[in-house]
Amino acid sequence: MTSRRWARHGGVLLGLFLLLAALVMGNAPAAVASDSTPYRATVFTHGYDTSKVVTLSFDSDWPTADNAQSRANLTRVLQVLASNKITAAFGLTGRFVENNPVDARAIVDAGHKVINHSYDHPDFMTLTQAQRWAQLDRAEAAYRTAGISSAGWFRAPYGSGKFDPGLNRDLALHGYYISFDWTYDTTGFEGAPWSEVSRRIRDYTVPGAILVMHLSAPSTDPQNLPAIISQLRSMGYGFASPYQATTKGAIRGEYLRLGGSAAFGAATTAEQVATTTGTAVQWFQRGRIYWSSASGAHEVHGAILGEYRKLGTVNSFLRFPLTDEQAAAGGRRNQFQGGWIYWSSSSGAHEVHGAIGTKWRSLGSESGFLGYPVSDEVGVTGGRASQFQGGNIYWSSSTSAHEVHGAILGRYLSLGGSASRLGLPVSDEFTVSGGRRSNFQHGAIIYTYSTHTTTVIYS
């Protein structure tokens, strides 16, 4: 069984283990700075929450499809969890899911978090990197066939090597950034009587503890589960879901406000430093949540997150988000410290910032005649420019920001735009007798209503 190797060492060694876990975990310190891919998986031997809550978890590796007692145990556990409104974590091997896809699906449909527990439960410290990855891949393939996903969460068979830097580096290299382990085992998998399970709960439960139990016969955990829950409650403990256990502080508050796992999925990393100490970011299945003292905590997801990532996220000129994604006229938007990203189905996601962004917003932003941006801001001869659905905005330090659109823009571009003899615009388009006009550094373009033609004047 999963925890046999560790559970046999007894209370003294477990006490030392808890001390080591506290030192190593340290409430899961940031894995890496600058909003980049974690270098190693973060090991959770207890949750971030330091209030009196615990997280329940169960491991399962019965390899056949006809283990009636084990299946009955799972049914009982799911019923008890549901009646107590508790969300738990389940470490499932690939072969369990392969042989019991309906049961695996039932776990996920009940809202519980599944964890990749390898394909057939080997000691990962005896495997090469390639063998470790093969175990993860084969298990995840079984998950996909059953219509579920681990979201990059791993639990080491036997708890072996959980703190090994090499193992955790191999996990991260393969996209597994959370190693969701446990604080102590009830030892129910050994057929432990209630008296022993109760003693371990009294001796080893601490705020944020993660308990591991087992489903497969002859485990006593399924039949003891109501009493386990009752004893924990009598000790003043509540229950945190694994989704909540891996979040904290302002990011956790934002995550729960957004709807938690139902809306944003599971965390796929621990909380990390975003840019410098005092900032934070955490990745989730459906987006990222960023926090700084100046900006607060806000989410970025979908196509807007894709654009934000392309630009360098918090390390770009946009810096931190100031809003969650919001509705815009016909699309979506996020505001950042250094600008905006707008998205619509017809324009895609693009940033607008600085003087060009200010000008665009003064013209009505996406609701104005320019519509949505269809490019990011780019360098042009003499200055900068952004393209919009209905025209362009140009800027330089000497000309400031001005729009050019319609037939005047078409003529301007045919001449070479800012690289032409006209140079950059020095006015927006305005009304003149019989038509419209835009002024440029070295001339003007006039559109005549009656003839639908444009005339270029050089100065």
Side-chain angles (χ1 to χ4, degrees), residues 353-426:
H353 74 282
I356 289 178
T358 300
K359 182 66 176 181
W360 179 61
R361 292 181 64 77
S362 75
L363 296 171
S365 58
E366 78 278 13
S367 298
F369 67 89
L370 287 175
Y372 276 83
V374 293
S375 78
D376 299 338
E377 184 179 300
V378 296
V380 296
T381 302
R384 308 283 294 174
S386 287
Q387 298 178 40
F388 298 86
Q389 290 172 315
N392 294 352
I393 296 178
Y394 296 85
W395 171 90
S396 76
S397 59
S398 60
T399 60
S400 71
H402 298 287
E403 62 80 19
V404 188
H405 72 281
I408 291 177
L409 175 61
R411 184 66 181 274
Y412 180 56
L413 294 176
S414 73
L415 296 170
S418 63
S420 72
R421 179 177 168 185
L422 287 171
L424 291 164
V426 295

Side-chain angles (χ1 to χ4, degrees), residues 15-29 45-46 163:
L16 293 175
F17 166 74
L18 291 175
L19 176 59
L20 174 63
L23 292 172
V24 174
M25 174 69 174
N27 272 344
T45 55
H46 58 281
F163 296 127

Side-chain angles (χ1 to χ4, degrees), residues 25 78 80 107 207 250 271 277 285 292 294 320 324-325 330-331 371 381 399:
M25 174 69 174
L78 292 178
V80 171
I107 291 170
E271 186 175 296
T277 301
Q285 284 178 283
S292 76
F320 283 83
D324 298 338
E325 186 175 298
T381 302
T399 60

Side-chain angles (χ1 to χ4, degrees), residues 37 68 122 150 192 196 227 237 250 267 271 285 312 319 342 345 387 431 439:
T37 301
S150 72
E196 172 60 15
Y237 281 87
E271 186 175 296
Q285 284 178 283
R319 303 192 302 281
Y342 280 79
S345 59
Q387 298 178 40
T431 299
N439 292 334

Side-chain angles (χ1 to χ4, degrees), residues 126-279:
T126 68
L127 304 181
T128 65
Q129 181 189 76
Q131 290 170 330
R132 290 167 175 172
W133 290 356
Q135 282 282 325
L136 295 169
D137 290 345
R138 193 175 177 190
E140 210 67 50
Y143 275 35
R144 285 194 299 274
T145 299
I148 64 177
S149 169
S150 72
W153 288 36
F154 172 74
R155 174 171 279 180
Y158 311 107
S160 178
K162 63 178 73 177
F163 296 127
D164 181 74
L167 172 56
N168 287 311
R169 176 61 177 155
D170 283 350
L171 292 173
L173 286 170
H174 213 52
Y176 290 79
Y177 306 129
I178 290 180
S179 177
F180 196 78
D181 210 78
W182 37 270
T183 311
Y184 69 90
D185 191 327
T186 63
T187 67
F189 74 91
E190 292 185 320
W194 168 245
S195 58
E196 172 60 15
V197 173
S198 177
R199 181 193 67 78
R200 294 178 73 81
I201 292 171
R202 288 193 307 271
D203 290 350
Y204 302 132
T205 301
V206 293
I210 301 170
L211 284 66
V212 64
M213 293 169 277
H214 294 81
L215 297 174
S216 304
S219 175
T220 57
D221 289 324
Q223 69 189 54
N224 284 334
L225 185 57
I228 291 169
I229 293 170
S230 179
Q231 179 169 333
L232 287 165
R233 283 182 170 148
S234 73
M235 294 166 61
Y237 281 87
F239 299 88
S241 75
Y243 304 105
Q244 293 171 309
T246 48
T247 58
K248 65 178 178 179
I251 286 181
R252 182 188 191 189
E254 170 76 349
Y255 175 63
L256 296 179
R257 188 188 67 77
L258 293 169
S261 61
F264 224 57
T268 57
T269 69
E271 186 175 296
Q272 307 177 85
V273 170
T275 53
T276 59
T277 301
T279 66

